[in-house]
Amino acid sequence: MEGQRDTAEGGCGEPRKVLVVEDNLLVAMEIEDALLAHGLTVEIAETVQAAEQCIGRTLFGAALVDCRLPDGHAHDIALRLEARGTRVALVTGSDATGLPSAIAHLPLFDKPVPAWVLAEWVLAALRER
């Protein structure tokens, strides 16, 4: 499945391209495997800085965003993705009551959450586009 992973610049606006913003590489890879199994293309970003680089070069159909990353909160990442037309869900192990009101409307998954549940959300979100 390694050949389907997209870490280079992507085609803008590819609806089947998914950004996974997750600092735990094992969790990110589990989510990636679940998405690849459905024929989706995946990019992983482990930090806010890496996520910003991904957003700068690619338009994504959907994104799963962990709120707390080693270099800060990913709240602005979620808002930027949404503003660009990306379907965004938050995935966090943190207390959801501390999330800014600007992202409170986004779907929220509390960790731990099975990767197949996230993949199902992504598939449903992409169908709604």
Side-chain angles (χ1 to χ4, degrees):
M1 289 193 159
E2 182 66 33
Q4 291 182 347
R5 184 172 182 188
D6 185 9
T7 55
E9 71 284 343
C12 287
E14 288 186 44
R16 298 190 60 80
K17 186 170 278 201
V18 181
L19 177 62
V20 175
V21 182
E22 170 61 59
D23 61 327
N24 183 318
L25 188 56
L26 292 177
V27 171
M29 291 172 66
E30 184 178 344
I31 296 168
E32 177 185 38
D33 286 346
L35 296 169
L36 290 173
H38 290 284
L40 300 172
T41 303
V42 179
E43 277 196 55
I44 296 174
E46 296 179 60
T47 63
V48 171
Q49 182 179 5
E52 288 174 352
Q53 291 172 353
C54 290
I55 293 169
R57 69 174 180 260
T58 305
L59 290 175
F60 296 91
L64 298 166
V65 179
D66 184 1
C67 295
R68 288 183 181 236
L69 300 170
D71 59 343
H73 294 282
H75 307 146
D76 289 339
I77 295 296
L79 290 172
R80 284 182 54 206
L81 285 161
E82 185 182 41
R84 295 179 74 182
T86 302
R87 300 293 310 242
V88 179
L90 305 173
V91 183
T92 185
S94 303
D95 182 12
T97 59
L99 293 176
S101 60
I103 60 172
H105 66 285
L106 295 174
L108 176 69
F109 293 92
D110 291 318
K111 288 182 181 178
V113 58
W116 68 267
V117 170
L118 297 174
E120 290 296 320
W121 178 85
V122 167
L123 291 170
L126 292 176
R127 281 192 298 271
E128 293 174 5
R129 288 187 98 231

